[in-house]
Amino acid sequence: MINLIMAIQILSFFFIFRSISRYHFTIKEITVWLVVFLMIGFISTYFIGVWGAITLFFCFVGISYFKNHRTFTALGVFYGAYALVMNSFIGYLAADPITSVVEFIFKQSTANIDYLPYLFTAIAPPVINEIGLRLVRHYVPQLNKEILQESSKVILFPVIVLFIIIIISVYPILTIGNETGDFNSFHRALLVGMWLLFIIALLYMQFQYTHIHKREIEKAKSEQLVQLKDYAAQLEKIYDEFRGFRHDYANILLTLEDGIYREDWKQVKQVYEQTVKPTGQLMRKNEYSFVKLRNLHVSEVKSILAAKIIMAQQMKIDVALEIEEPIHWIHMELISFTRILSILLDNAIEAAAKTEKAKISIVLLEDPIIQRIKIENSSGEKVSLRRLGERGYSSKGKGRGLGLYNVQQMLKENNFASLETEVQSNLFSQTLILRKTGERK
């Protein structure tokens, strides 16, 4: 029974780590890691007691390393430290209440129930942690991993340092408790202080994240204001061109009418070649893609599209925009969506600019079930679909390839969004699919 309880305690660390990190594990990966954890946990516990949990921390960092395409991240270290502290924290808090409940329920029983409090205490941490995280995620907006990683020096590093202090302070006390079977008042006070420090660390993390998140929103709004001003200036230019055309419209009709009435087909042809035909070309100019933005009623997205279309025009890229149905909201958190959209458009513009007939097509489709945002560009480069989205992979050379990797990381956090990629002859397209069964943000 002791070995069973120890095995459950060791596996509890893994399930808490999986719950906080939300990494996707295949059945094979779970099986392999559980076996590895049990082996390392039993061996290390046998030799160094409760300090054996430290070896599991390094296992967690290793898992994060492989899950992040062989990259060490502050977020991966945080997940490992969180699993260690939370398992001990919940186990300590739950031990006495569980013991009291078990003794009350089985007070009339003659059976040996000494092992039951330890068994239930070993099971409690991952269960309580999962319930707690589900409640937090339900009532508090989910933390954006990209923001956490980008601001790790402010958000994660202080929290990790506090977690390490807690571990260094708590584990010697737990070791003494295991050896003596009891804690004196000083040890209990120190444990309570460390758990309060743990709660403070989590509150600090939430506070800093909220502050940085608000700053990101304000920065985005400022950029959107500039982009919307450019959009308004472009619309004003279009209006001036139409006003000039309207001024000449009556004269064009009178000239055509006169030529047709006199059957002077030479004059009709001349008017067509000199006035009507150029007007048709004017109507097909890139600038009139802006008119299609009238169906888009999400100012944040409209400003980005306007800015990127202007950028493409300045680089002599032919832009086609289609938004046939009114779009009043985006079924994804706007900060994540605008980042993804900007990355996809920047990649499309950069790739198209290198081709002889540079062109980009942007299509936003709305139906009762999903939203589709398709971005297609001319391309003269060979792209490996299998490696697309890997950290550091790029057809543009070394030191690139972080854009689509970041897109994939953001999409992993959203169960209702996906990205489809297609490569045809001299064309490259990516379609962002947002299913409306998700929560509207």
Side-chain angles (χ1 to χ4, degrees):
M1 184 56 66
I2 294 177
N3 289 334
L4 174 62
I5 294 173
M6 186 182 298
I8 293 174
Q9 288 176 330
I10 293 169
L11 297 182
S12 292
F13 288 102
F14 176 79
F15 287 112
I16 291 176
F17 170 79
R18 184 188 178 197
S19 184
I20 185 64
S21 68
R22 306 189 78 177
Y23 288 139
H24 174 73
F25 291 93
T26 64
I27 296 177
K28 181 180 178 181
E29 286 177 328
I30 291 176
T31 303
V32 171
W33 279 114
L34 290 183
V35 171
V36 170
F37 267 63
L38 287 173
M39 291 176 60
I40 294 176
F42 271 105
I43 294 172
S44 59
T45 302
Y46 177 79
F47 285 104
I48 54 179
V50 295
W51 287 97
I54 302 297
T55 60
L56 301 181
F57 166 76
F58 291 107
C59 288
F60 293 137
V61 175
I63 293 175
S64 295
Y65 172 77
F66 287 106
K67 286 294 181 180
N68 288 289
H69 302 282
R70 300 180 183 276
T71 303
F72 285 111
T73 64
L75 207 52
V77 177
F78 167 78
Y79 292 148
Y82 174 92
L84 257 67
V85 178
M86 182 57 80
N87 190 67
S88 302
F89 177 53
I90 297 177
Y92 175 77
L93 293 181
D96 288 341
I98 288 175
T99 301
S100 299
V101 170
V102 170
E103 289 176 351
F104 175 79
I105 294 175
F106 294 94
K107 62 181 179 180
Q108 302 297 332
S109 175
T110 58
N112 182 11
I113 60 167
D114 291 343
Y115 66 90
L116 283 180
Y118 298 102
L119 180 62
F120 290 133
T121 300
I123 296 173
V127 175
I128 296 175
N129 175 73
E130 181 65 27
I131 294 172
L133 286 178
R134 285 182 180 273
L135 288 174
V136 169
R137 287 165 180 161
H138 180 75
Y139 292 105
V140 179
Q142 185 176 338
L143 303 187
N144 187 304
K145 288 185 179 180
E146 186 181 2
I147 294 178
L148 286 174
Q149 193 59 49
E150 288 178 354
S151 307
S152 59
K153 290 183 179 179
V154 177
I155 300 177
L156 294 179
F157 284 174
V159 174
I160 292 171
V161 170
L162 288 176
F163 282 3
I164 292 173
I165 292 173
I166 292 170
I167 292 170
I168 293 174
S169 302
V170 167
Y171 274 66
I173 299 174
L174 295 178
T175 302
I176 294 172
N178 287 342
E179 292 175 352
T180 63
D182 194 13
F183 301 100
N184 60 39
S185 58
F186 173 75
H187 290 156
R188 289 186 179 276
L190 189 57
L191 284 175
V192 171
M194 289 300 103
W195 301 145
L196 288 175
L197 186 61
F198 173 60
I199 294 173
I200 291 171
L202 294 180
L203 291 176
Y204 166 84
M205 180 177 173
Q206 179 64 44
F207 172 80
Q208 286 291 356
Y209 175 85
T210 303
H211 175 71
I212 292 173
H213 189 255
K214 287 181 179 179
R215 192 172 63 193
E216 289 280 329
I217 292 175
E218 290 172 359
K219 180 182 176 182
K221 287 182 177 179
S222 177
E223 292 175 351
Q224 289 156 14
L225 182 60
V226 174
Q227 293 163 352
L228 285 173
K229 286 181 179 178
D230 292 339
Y231 171 53
Q234 201 71 17
L235 287 179
E236 187 176 346
K237 177 183 176 183
I238 294 171
Y239 174 74
D240 289 340
E241 291 178 349
F242 268 115
R243 188 171 58 181
F245 168 72
R246 185 178 63 181
H247 181 268
D248 297 331
Y249 182 66
N251 293 332
I252 293 172
L253 288 181
L254 287 174
T255 305
L256 282 174
E257 182 182 19
D258 179 67
I260 293 171
Y261 181 76
R262 292 186 294 103
E263 296 187 353
D264 186 351
W265 306 118
K266 183 178 180 180
Q267 179 183 342
V268 172
K269 182 178 180 181
Q270 184 179 7
V271 172
Y272 172 78
E273 291 290 340
Q274 293 180 356
T275 59
V276 177
K277 187 175 181 180
T279 301
Q281 294 173 345
L282 175 68
M283 295 294 292
R284 288 190 292 271
K285 283 175 62 179
N286 282 337
E287 284 82 351
Y288 293 92
S289 293
F290 284 97
V291 178
K292 302 292 182 67
L293 285 172
R294 71 184 185 279
N295 277 335
L296 182 57
H297 301 283
V298 185
S299 60
E300 294 91 344
V301 180
K302 180 183 287 189
S303 64
I304 287 176
L305 284 175
K308 300 305 180 183
I309 289 173
I310 292 173
M311 181 190 299
Q313 290 172 6
Q314 293 172 344
M315 299 173 70
K316 309 300 181 184
I317 299 174
D318 183 33
V319 181
L321 175 67
E322 294 294 333
I323 309 176
E324 298 300 331
E325 298 294 330
I327 297 177
H328 296 279
W329 56 77
I330 298 297
H331 289 266
M332 187 178 188
E333 195 224 356
L334 275 176
I335 287 186
S336 295
F337 177 80
T338 53
R339 288 189 178 196
I340 291 172
L341 182 63
S342 295
I343 290 171
L344 297 182
L345 288 171
D346 286 340
N347 287 350
I349 291 171
E350 187 175 355
K354 298 178 180 179
T355 61
E356 185 176 350
K357 295 182 178 180
K359 62 180 181 178
I360 293 175
S361 171
I362 307 168
V363 181
L364 278 72
L365 298 176
E366 176 90 2
D367 66 40
I369 301 176
I370 61 174
Q371 288 178 329
R372 292 179 185 269
I373 300 90
K374 182 176 182 180
I375 301 172
E376 184 177 80
N377 61 271
S378 55
S379 176
E381 301 172 334
K382 292 184 178 180
V383 179
S384 171
L385 288 180
R386 183 179 61 83
R387 297 192 60 197
L388 203 63
E390 288 184 11
R391 184 182 181 90
Y393 171 75
S394 174
S395 58
K396 307 179 186 73
K398 294 183 178 180
R400 310 294 293 277
L402 293 179
L404 284 179
Y405 168 77
N406 290 333
V407 168
Q408 295 293 350
Q409 296 306 304
M410 284 185 275
L411 290 177
K412 284 180 181 180
E413 300 178 37
N414 192 312
N415 295 326
F416 302 97
S418 59
L419 185 67
E420 293 182 352
T421 304
E422 186 177 358
V423 178
Q424 297 177 348
S425 177
N426 299 323
L427 285 177
F428 178 83
S429 69
Q430 293 196 293
T431 304
L432 181 63
I433 300 174
L434 306 178
R435 290 176 288 280
K436 296 182 179 180
T437 48
E439 180 182 355
R440 189 192 311 169
K441 298 288 180 86

